Amino acid sequence: NAGVTQTPKFQVLKTGQSMTLQCAQDMNHEYMSWYRQDPGMGLRLIHYSVGAGITDQGEVPNGYNVSRSTTEDFPLRLLSAAPSQTSVYFCASSYPGSPAELFFGEGSRLTVL
Amino acid sequence: AQKVTQAQTEISVVEKEDVTLDCVYETRDTTYYLFWYKQPPSGELVFLIRRNSFDEQNEISGRYSWNFQKSTSSFNFTITASQVVDSAVYFCALKDSGAGSYQLTFGKGTKLSVIP
């Protein structure tokens, strides 16, 4: 089972460049989300989606865009990369319903020079 | 607003020692869910346990046990007879049960190092 797949696993960008982190899940989960992990900060929610065509902001949305055209895919776009966006990014998905735990991708390490 | 506090940033223990990782949470909701995740050095996030707010029974799974105390808003995690493979960052997380609520609020994590 593929679960949640993120690409790329590693990326180096220059300040001002744009890029898209891809996330796909094959579990038919309605809920998908993006987190960033920084040392000493835990995981912070960037954006999330509760279904195709529906997205909303999390705790740290600035500098990021998302869209959800299909149930399976939830790409995260960096419009103009900044060094402050150097981080490890995790995509996660879950079944509907409060008790459901999140299934995480393996993470994408992004460095912005 | 929800909040999860893991006051222990880093813990080091010698193999075979027992260790407890603390988690204190804040929420206004009467129904909510608590989670623990493990992040080994390889980086992936592994789900360990879920507990709902109405179930205060402690849970044991092998060397792992969890103590949920609503009175102190704590959901602590104990590893008995620790092993080197337990070395990881452990995250506690909270989710409420409101309609359409899907978001997890994470603590900042506790890095556990088990020394052989």
Side-chain angles (χ1 to χ4, degrees), chain A residues 54-74:
Chain A
I54 306 169
T55 64
D56 207 345
Q57 296 180 350
E59 180 185 355
V60 288
N62 292 342
Y64 306 96
N65 251 356
V66 292
S67 59
R68 184 96 178 269
S69 56
T70 67
T71 299
E72 294 78 19
D73 300 299
F74 190 46

Side-chain angles (χ1 to χ4, degrees), chain A:
Chain A
N1 292 334
V4 180
T5 303
Q6 289 181 234
T7 56
K9 288 188 168 45
F10 300 94
Q11 183 73 49
V12 178
L13 290 177
K14 294 181 180 178
T15 298
Q17 287 185 318
S18 62
M19 77 155 299
T20 299
L21 296 175
Q22 302 290 347
C23 176
Q25 52 90 12
D26 61 358
M27 298 173 281
N28 203 32
H29 286 169
E30 288 186 4
Y31 177 76
M32 296 186 74
S33 54
W34 278 100
Y35 286 84
R36 60 178 287 174
Q37 182 181 16
D38 303 292
M41 299 296 292
L43 287 98
R44 292 181 293 170
L45 182 65
I46 304 171
H47 284 286
Y48 66 97
S49 168
V50 298
I54 306 169
T55 64
D56 207 345
Q57 296 180 350
E59 180 185 355
V60 288
N62 292 342
Y64 306 96
N65 251 356
V66 292
S67 59
R68 184 96 178 269
S69 56
T70 67
T71 299
E72 294 78 19
D73 300 299
F74 190 46
L76 178 72
R77 298 182 186 85
L78 281 71
L79 307 173
S80 177
S84 61
Q85 293 178 303
T86 294
S87 187
V88 180
Y89 292 85
F90 287 94
C91 179
S93 70
S94 76
Y95 297 106
S98 297
E101 74 270 23
L102 288 178
F103 293 79
F104 284 89
E106 292 183 343
S108 299
R109 184 175 293 274
L110 175 66
T111 301
V112 183
L113 303 175

